[in-house]
Amino acid sequence: MLLAVGIGNTSIKLGLFDGDKLHADWHIATDMQRLPDEYIVTLDSLLRQASVSPHDISDAAMWCTVPALIHTFGDVIRKYLKFEPFIVAAGIKTGVRIRMDNPREVGADRIVNAVAAHALYKDNVIIVDMGTATTFDTVSCDGEYLGGAIAPGIMMAAEALFTRPAQLYRVQLSAPQKAIGSNTIAAMQSGIIFGYTSLVEGMVARIKRELAGNAIVVATGGYSSLILGETKVIDAVNPDLSLIGLKMLYQLNKN
């Protein structure tokens, strides 16, 4: 089995691949204060729940957007699984051509998403990843990573709204019945949910115009479910895109 680890700013995705099948997956909170031994306890508990022994895991792969945790999780894997992990970093083979001004600026999370999307969808692809940030990544049908856009994540924006104005408060993040809110709760829900829906629709439309052709729009990320029922521009939803891309990069670089 392959242990795939994706470390983002808000959460850590863990996946166990048995061949090409995702056998189990989990999400845990990103915490830079936790020590390797604390993460080991959590990982051991998750594996036990899935009836998997650490001896069943033959290798591990990792991407990380939190530099402080690269060493921490490297220690976790070395100490618990007894081998060195494969880490997504500059200089590895990706199978896609990165057409950015400075390819080293592209985050590991965006690279794994691009690799998976190109392999899975075989067309121009726009990846909408709604996590800590909301990112839009564009991959051509020829396998070129063209770039994209980065906006504040929906929860980041919501927290700013909840904590800055003195008279506003946290509300459930769900779509109201109409855009014109007749009370404060409905007005905040409209601004957050419909506002981010419009952000996605507007950015997708602009990117498609620049591509001068059609593109498949793939949504991923923990907060994408908040807008899926409010828009028709999303063609596919793949919550495991980054884990799949990580597995593909591992296979490409290990062979």
Side-chain angles (χ1 to χ4, degrees), residues 34 64 92 94-95 106 109 132 181 189 191 194 200 215 217 240 242 252:
R34 295 184 76 184
C64 182
I92 67 167
T94 64
V106 184
D109 54 335
T132 305
Q189 289 174 327
F194 295 154
V200 170
V217 181
D240 301 319
S242 67
L252 181 64

Side-chain angles (χ1 to χ4, degrees), residues 13-26:
K13 306 173 185 178
L14 301 163
L16 272 179
F17 285 94
D18 188 358
D20 289 332
K21 180 182 178 183
L22 186 60
H23 176 78
D25 65 287
W26 310 274

Side-chain angles (χ1 to χ4, degrees), residues 57-133:
I57 301 173
S58 58
D59 215 338
M62 179 173 75
W63 64 260
C64 182
T65 59
V66 186
L69 288 181
I70 294 176
H71 180 73
T72 298
F73 253 85
D75 281 350
V76 168
I77 293 168
R78 283 187 289 269
K79 189 173 182 179
Y80 184 61
L81 298 177
K82 312 301 183 187
F83 49 70
E84 287 287 333
F86 164 76
I87 300 175
V88 176
I92 67 167
K93 292 184 289 185
T94 64
V96 297
R97 296 178 295 282
I98 300 175
R99 299 302 191 194
M100 295 281 284
D101 295 338
N102 183 358
R104 291 178 179 271
E105 290 181 350
V106 184
D109 54 335
R110 303 176 78 184
I111 290 174
V112 294
N113 280 346
V115 168
H118 175 61
L120 294 174
Y121 300 104
K122 309 293 186 184
D123 202 342
N124 294 331
V125 183
I126 301 169
I127 306 156
V128 183
D129 189 345
M130 298 188 70
T132 305

Side-chain angles (χ1 to χ4, degrees), residues 91-199:
I92 67 167
K93 292 184 289 185
T94 64
V96 297
R97 296 178 295 282
I98 300 175
R99 299 302 191 194
M100 295 281 284
D101 295 338
N102 183 358
R104 291 178 179 271
E105 290 181 350
V106 184
D109 54 335
R110 303 176 78 184
I111 290 174
V112 294
N113 280 346
V115 168
H118 175 61
L120 294 174
Y121 300 104
K122 309 293 186 184
D123 202 342
N124 294 331
V125 183
I126 301 169
I127 306 156
V128 183
D129 189 345
M130 298 188 70
T132 305
T134 297
T135 60
F136 301 83
D137 294 300
T138 308
V139 186
S140 75
C141 58
D142 296 323
E144 294 184 325
Y145 176 85
L146 304 176
I150 305 173
I154 191 168
M155 283 303 300
M156 186 186 301
E159 281 298 316
L161 187 63
F162 299 155
T163 57
R164 294 297 181 91
Q167 293 184 317
L168 297 181
Y169 41 84
R170 283 178 172 79
V171 299
Q172 180 181 355
L173 291 186
S174 59
Q177 294 183 344
K178 54 185 181 178
I180 303 173
S182 56
N183 56 67
T184 301
I185 291 176
M188 293 171 69
Q189 289 174 327
S190 175
I192 295 168
I193 302 300
F194 295 154
Y196 263 80
T197 301
S198 296
L199 167 68

